[in-house]
Amino acid sequence: MRKPVVAVVSLVLLLLGAGSAHAITWGQPDGEEHPHVVTLLFAQDGVGFYSCSGTLLSPDLVLTAGHCVEGDSGAPNDLTYVSNSPDPLADYAGGGVTGYLAASDHWVPGEAVPHPEYDGFSAFPDTFDIGLVRLERAIDTGGVYGRLPEEGMLDALLTRKGATTQRQVGIVGYGLQGTVPAFEQEDYVRYRGTSTITGLSRSSTQGGHSLQLTNSPGEGTGGSGTCFGDSGGPAFWIDPATGRETTTVVAVTSFGITGRCAGTDFSFRTDIPAAQDFVDAHL
């Protein structure tokens, strides 16, 4: 489903499935900590604009979710613009979104590239919910970029017993920070938080494509979660030996179960052949 949002440019945050396309709830403003995490504004099937998140794997290649680059018709986005600004609409003064995106220095146009087997979650739980954006010009991050994990990394790590600190990820995105009735926080700035991997084998992940994450932080007492607008954003592996976040993107935010950004949510794994073969062909 699609959720209209009243914002500076009347953005629509893209939702698919039973509550997919999630921003970071109970997180913190990111500032310049993740210059390699970007936001997408795009038009699909003649309608725009929608918002997602993503990660720069190189100066001109963005990793994101499949539903962020392909519309319901099965065609790639009509238009896609990408920015790594932590406050991407700070210089927007009105007068038309398309013209603004084309004229603004920090919005870069790109070509949407969905996974060839992505088909609107029709093969669920094998979702193939991964996509790329090839940019027309490079984005400068100071040399910091995301990278894919080794194939099978999560299978090897998550079959071991251990404390939850052994399976944490840093989540980053541009979506909503809360949807508690009747309050909704939609700053449309980059936020960051921490979540915990809770499984690979429950009903929604049995196809092997998805990773289950906690998304019930207890109003700030137990980590963070994702919400509308975080789709395509990264789950960065946190090294349990050091407690430090790495640049390894083990999954991209894909879908959630509830419409209130609570409960559990699911991200598409990047350590599986369906992801690695697709991305490697474009790097």
Side-chain angles (χ1 to χ4, degrees):
M1 63 179 176
R2 302 172 188 265
K3 181 178 184 294
V5 174
V6 179
V8 178
V9 292
S10 298
L11 298 178
V12 179
L13 301 183
L14 177 64
L15 307 176
L16 292 174
S20 62
H22 290 242
I24 305 302
T25 57
W26 308 110
Q28 298 292 326
D30 183 66
E32 299 290 350
E33 289 200 25
H34 293 87
H36 49 315
V37 177
V38 302
T39 182
L40 287 63
L41 282 182
F42 52 95
Q44 287 184 344
D45 300 333
V47 180
F49 282 88
Y50 302 90
S51 172
C52 274
S53 301
T55 308
L56 283 160
L57 299 179
S58 71
D60 62 356
L61 189 68
V62 175
L63 173 69
T64 188
H67 68 267
C68 297
V69 293
E70 179 177 302
D72 294 340
S73 68
N77 294 352
D78 304 323
L79 295 170
T80 307
Y81 285 84
V82 171
S83 173
N84 74 330
S85 169
D87 189 359
L89 293 181
D91 61 343
Y92 180 71
V97 181
T98 303
Y100 158 73
L101 293 173
S104 180
D105 289 340
H106 64 82
W107 286 101
V108 179
E111 176 190 5
V113 184
H115 191 288
E117 294 186 69
Y118 174 74
D119 190 19
F121 294 89
S122 63
F124 186 85
D126 290 332
T127 67
F128 298 96
D129 191 21
I130 187 172
L132 298 167
V133 179
R134 175 67 69 185
L135 301 178
E136 291 187 7
R137 63 178 188 270
I139 290 180
D140 182 13
T141 65
V144 182
Y145 300 100
R147 63 185 183 92
L148 296 190
E150 294 183 1
E151 186 173 325
M153 171 187 173
L154 293 176
D155 286 321
L157 291 170
L158 299 180
T159 53
R160 304 173 186 170
K161 294 183 179 180
T164 57
T165 54
Q166 303 297 305
R167 44 189 169 88
Q168 290 188 320
V169 292
I171 49 177
V172 188
Y174 285 80
L176 301 184
Q177 292 83 50
T179 60
V180 179
F183 167 77
E184 187 169 84
Q185 183 178 351
E186 48 181 358
D187 294 349
Y188 195 44
V189 296
R190 190 166 60 215
Y191 268 65
R192 70 182 188 277
T194 303
S195 189
T196 300
I197 300 171
T198 58
L200 297 173
S201 60
R202 299 184 72 174
S203 60
S204 295
T205 62
Q206 285 177 351
H209 283 198
S210 296
L211 183 70
Q212 183 173 319
L213 298 173
T214 55
N215 203 34
S216 296
E219 298 188 358
T221 62
S224 303
T226 59
C227 195
F228 307 123
D230 282 331
S231 273
F236 291 117
W237 180 250
I238 294 176
D239 184 347
T242 64
R244 294 180 179 177
E245 181 184 289
T246 70
T247 58
T248 301
V249 183
V250 296
V252 297
T253 301
S254 181
F255 66 95
I257 298 300
T258 75
R260 287 292 175 189
C261 305
T264 56
D265 63 352
F266 299 87
S267 293
F268 184 86
R269 293 173 58 178
T270 59
D271 68 325
I272 59 175
Q276 303 228 331
D277 293 346
F278 168 63
V279 174
D280 286 348
H282 293 273
L283 278 174

